Amino acid sequence: MIELYQFELSQYSEKVRLILDYKGLEYRKIEIAPGIGQVELFRMSGQRQVPVLKDGSTFVADSTEIAKYLDRQYPDRPLFPSDPVQRALCLIMEEWADSSIGIKSRQALFGAISQDQSFRKSLLPETTPDIVKSLVEFIPSEVLKVLGIGVGSGPDSVKSATTDLKQDLEALCLLLVERPYLLGDEPCLADLAVAGLSMLIKFPDGPYLDLPPAIKGKGIPGLADSIIYEPFFTWRDRLYAQYRKSTFSYNTAPSAPTSISID
């Protein structure tokens, strides 16, 4: 069985999960706990980031390379249009989604949890001890702002990322006004990338992710709850309903490798 070394809250892992589900491939999720050690994963694959796909003896890292590998090995339900121009547009849009939505949504989410204690607490797994939840909830916002600057998510970066995401969502809404998918009548990698990478802007509601119920359907204030961008999230919900499997369908296991960088 295909194995996906992943982090449940990684939007790049979600992109790959959606691709696997779209292609109807069975796979086993292996959760990697960030920040604790990376010896076993690196020993097995030579990679330090998630997602990493293992198919037999083959390891593939990076969500885009995983998509290309899966399309070569499992050609049913192709990810790329056959028309050369449409294929080029698909590749360009997928790359844009990775570098814009993928990165900026992470920055904007950091800003949201820095300012909202309850939102910060709700992101913790339900198994988190109460004392840890309390410590996380009451970390001063100023401390988080300082930490954010150190990882490229300071106040200025958060503000800029949020502004850019508003423009991105507006553009996506316009693209979807008269067609069911971003490039026409059939879904392609561009659709799956945009849908999966938008996870941190607004967490999908429904049984798709192993996340605390309190955050499902919630997200970054001003984006997730804005009526302006509702057409995009309605489209995404339809895509999920069509192709994304329930989390109960997966064989999930904890992993021996325990620390990675998030791609």
Side-chain angles (χ1 to χ4, degrees), residues 138-246:
F138 293 108
I139 295 174
S141 296
E142 293 304 317
V143 172
L144 289 173
K145 287 180 181 178
V146 172
L147 292 174
I149 293 171
V151 296
S153 296
D156 291 342
S157 297
V158 168
K159 182 178 179 181
S160 176
T162 304
T163 299
D164 289 347
L165 286 171
K166 288 179 179 179
Q167 179 172 291
D168 292 345
L169 290 172
E170 181 181 356
L172 290 166
C173 287
L174 291 172
L175 281 173
L176 294 164
V177 167
E178 295 183 350
R179 50 191 177 187
Y181 300 103
L182 293 172
L183 295 179
D185 295 330
E186 298 293 333
C188 66
L189 178 59
D191 298 278
L192 303 174
V194 167
L197 292 167
S198 69
M199 178 186 80
L200 297 186
I201 302 176
K202 183 178 182 179
F203 294 105
D205 200 359
Y208 306 115
L209 295 162
D210 186 16
L211 299 175
I215 66 171
K216 291 186 177 182
K218 304 293 194 307
I220 300 167
L223 299 178
D225 53 0
S226 172
I227 193 171
I228 298 173
Y229 313 121
E230 188 174 322
F232 169 75
F233 292 111
T234 298
W235 168 82
R236 188 190 69 176
D237 291 346
R238 176 172 59 83
L239 194 73
Y240 267 66
Q242 286 178 295
Y243 301 114
R244 189 76 163 87
K245 292 180 183 177
S246 163

Side-chain angles (χ1 to χ4, degrees), residues 19 52 73 77 98 114 135 169 187 211 219 229 232 260:
I19 290 168
V52 171
Q73 295 297 117
R77 281 193 173 171
D98 274 0
S114 296
L135 288 171
L169 290 172
L211 299 175
Y229 313 121
F232 169 75
I260 39 72

Side-chain angles (χ1 to χ4, degrees), residues 10-28:
S10 162
Q11 69 271 53
Y12 294 95
S13 294
E14 177 61 7
K15 172 185 168 184
V16 173
R17 293 188 292 255
L18 187 50
I19 290 168
L20 287 163
D21 286 350
Y22 173 74
K23 281 188 165 287
L25 298 172
E26 296 293 327
Y27 64 100
R28 179 175 178 237

Side-chain angles (χ1 to χ4, degrees), residues 33 50 96 100 105 114 137 142 203 223 263:
V50 294
W96 163 78
S100 185
S105 63
S114 296
E137 183 178 11
E142 293 304 317
F203 294 105
L223 299 178
D263 178 289

Side-chain angles (χ1 to χ4, degrees), residues 89-116:
L89 290 172
C90 175
L91 288 166
I92 289 169
M93 185 167 287
E94 190 261 355
E95 175 62 24
W96 163 78
D98 274 0
S99 59
S100 185
I101 295 176
I103 294 173
K104 292 168 185 174
S105 63
R106 200 157 53 198
Q107 293 174 323
L109 180 65
F110 187 91
I113 65 176
S114 296
Q115 298 174 31
D116 189 329

Side-chain angles (χ1 to χ4, degrees), residues 13-88:
S13 294
E14 177 61 7
K15 172 185 168 184
V16 173
R17 293 188 292 255
L18 187 50
I19 290 168
L20 287 163
D21 286 350
Y22 173 74
K23 281 188 165 287
L25 298 172
E26 296 293 327
Y27 64 100
R28 179 175 178 237
K29 297 194 301 182
I30 301 178
E31 186 72 3
I32 306 297
I36 304 175
Q38 60 190 29
V39 176
E40 187 64 18
L41 181 60
F42 184 74
R43 183 188 67 79
M44 289 190 302
S45 68
Q47 305 296 331
R48 298 179 184 274
Q49 297 178 313
V50 294
V52 171
L53 186 89
K54 180 177 182 290
D55 187 16
S57 59
T58 301
F59 286 88
V60 187
D62 183 85
S63 61
T64 300
E65 293 306 313
I66 291 171
K68 292 176 180 178
Y69 169 83
L70 290 172
D71 219 40
R72 290 193 303 269
Q73 295 297 117
Y74 305 96
D76 289 347
R77 281 193 173 171
L79 298 175
F80 299 97
S82 57
D83 177 79
V85 174
Q86 290 288 300
R87 181 183 176 90

